[in-house]
Amino acid sequence: MDTPTINLITDCLVPLITAAAGWLAGKRKRRNDFLKNMQESIDILSMENKRLIEDLTTVNREVVALRRENGELKTSVDQLCKENAQLKTEVQDLRKQLTQAPA
């Protein structure tokens, strides 16, 4: 091989080969960085999802407790309504007795 051919090879092919090798190495790093960023996003979303599920569970427990309390209050109100009706009847009976009593 003559010197101009060797110079052409060293001047053109070596930079092309090193550029290709650099591009391939960079491609792998870019891919790894992308995967790392994706994993970080997944981790953040998983933590947020876990927190939201815990909040939802807490709220559901509160709803169940409030429904139970509401049922108890409804029962109490029903009982008070019955007692009130009985007292009204007693008051009416007493009024009748007062109006029928000799003066």
Side-chain angles (χ1 to χ4, degrees):
M1 287 193 163
D2 58 346
T3 305
T5 306
I6 293 175
N7 285 342
L8 177 65
I9 291 172
T10 57
D11 289 344
C12 294
L13 290 180
V14 171
L16 285 175
I17 292 171
T18 57
W23 181 80
L24 289 173
K27 180 179 176 184
R28 182 174 181 182
K29 182 181 181 327
R30 285 189 304 273
R31 183 171 170 243
N32 286 342
D33 289 346
F34 173 75
L35 292 175
K36 181 182 175 191
N37 289 338
M38 291 291 286
Q39 186 62 49
E40 289 172 356
S41 296
I42 290 169
D43 291 343
I44 290 170
L45 290 172
S46 294
M47 289 182 349
E48 181 66 14
N49 191 41
K50 180 181 177 184
R51 186 189 65 79
L52 289 173
I53 288 173
E54 289 171 355
D55 289 348
L56 182 62
T57 303
T58 301
V59 169
N60 281 340
R61 284 188 194 125
E62 290 175 5
V63 166
V64 168
L66 288 172
R67 284 184 178 168
R68 186 179 310 120
E69 182 180 349
N70 191 32
E72 292 169 359
L73 289 173
K74 283 182 180 180
T75 303
S76 295
V77 167
D78 290 344
Q79 182 64 31
L80 288 173
C81 286
K82 288 177 186 176
E83 289 176 14
N84 192 27
Q86 289 173 350
L87 289 173
K88 282 182 182 180
T89 303
E90 288 180 27
V91 166
Q92 287 175 351
D93 291 344
L94 289 173
R95 284 188 181 155
K96 284 180 186 177
Q97 289 175 5
L98 280 176
T99 55
Q100 294 174 356

